[in-house]
Amino acid sequence: RHRHGQRLMGRLARALIRRGQEHLAANRFQPALADCDKAEKLAGSLPEVTQLRAAVCNAIVKGQQEQQQDALRVAQARRNIADGWLSVGERILAEAPSGNGGVQLARQELAAARLHAEDAVAKAEQAMHIGDIEEAMNIVQAAGVGQNRNGRAGELLRQVRAGALEHVRADLEQG
């Protein structure tokens, strides 16, 4: 009877280890650890239990490291977006996992920054078109487009600077 009980406990421990491995494969770490504990209580410190526990602990650490890297990536993207480097922020976000809530929020911030910059550029271009360099400068300054170094905004900044320099030269020539 004793041997039969020991064999039964061994089979149950191996079944718990298999189930723990299935939990690990499905990234369900707490149930995997619980199965390790149960198997260890039934059959003692088997090598399979030790291996499974080590694999679960390694997976937990790896997941935490990935979360930290994702958080750093999002922070870096947000910094670039805030500094006007929208394309750089976009590239950084493209490498981040889409299921991350912080990534989704940063992508929304990027879209809002693009819309804001495009609107300001359009208004400043209108001002430049009618020759109102001062208004164009005010729009650029108020919208923070001066930090944006992409596409139309960069071209607009060159035009505003050139227009402002020409205006200053004309004022100096007139005395």
Side-chain angles (χ1 to χ4, degrees):
R1 290 184 189 206
H2 183 67
R3 273 191 230 158
H4 177 67
Q6 283 182 324
R7 276 194 305 254
L8 187 60
M9 286 185 359
R11 284 185 17 216
L12 183 55
R14 284 188 294 280
L16 286 166
I17 291 168
R18 274 193 304 278
R19 188 174 76 177
Q21 290 167 337
E22 291 169 5
H23 285 308
L24 173 61
N27 293 326
R28 296 186 302 261
F29 304 129
Q30 292 306 319
L33 286 175
D35 284 348
C36 278
D37 292 340
K38 291 173 188 174
E40 192 171 44
K41 285 179 185 175
L42 285 172
S45 185
L46 296 173
E48 295 94 341
V49 172
T50 305
Q51 290 170 354
L52 178 58
R53 187 179 308 281
V56 171
C57 291
N58 287 339
I60 290 170
V61 168
K62 182 180 176 189
Q64 290 171 339
Q65 289 172 339
E66 288 173 357
Q67 286 177 344
Q68 288 174 341
Q69 287 175 341
D70 290 345
L72 288 172
R73 190 175 289 130
V74 168
Q76 184 181 25
R78 290 174 106 175
R79 219 175 12 258
N80 278 288
I81 292 166
D83 289 344
W85 296 95
L86 304 182
S87 296
V88 174
E90 184 176 37
R91 277 188 230 118
I92 292 169
L93 290 174
E95 298 171 8
S98 60
N100 181 317
V103 171
Q104 294 300 329
L105 183 60
R107 286 185 178 145
Q108 290 172 357
E109 291 172 2
L110 173 63
R114 280 197 195 282
L115 286 174
H116 181 71
E118 288 171 9
D119 186 48
V121 167
K123 288 177 182 175
E125 284 175 340
Q126 287 175 345
M128 288 293 291
H129 184 69
I130 61 171
D132 193 346
I133 295 169
E134 188 175 336
E135 179 62 16
M137 289 173 46
N138 289 337
I139 292 169
V140 166
Q141 184 177 17
V145 177
Q147 296 175 1
N148 193 321
R149 293 154 179 94
N150 300 330
R152 282 179 52 207
E155 179 59 31
L156 173 67
L157 288 173
R158 283 186 286 282
Q159 290 174 5
V160 169
R161 286 183 188 129
L165 284 173
E166 187 61 36
H167 188 68
V168 168
R169 281 188 193 127
D171 284 351
L172 287 174
E173 288 175 3
Q174 290 178 359

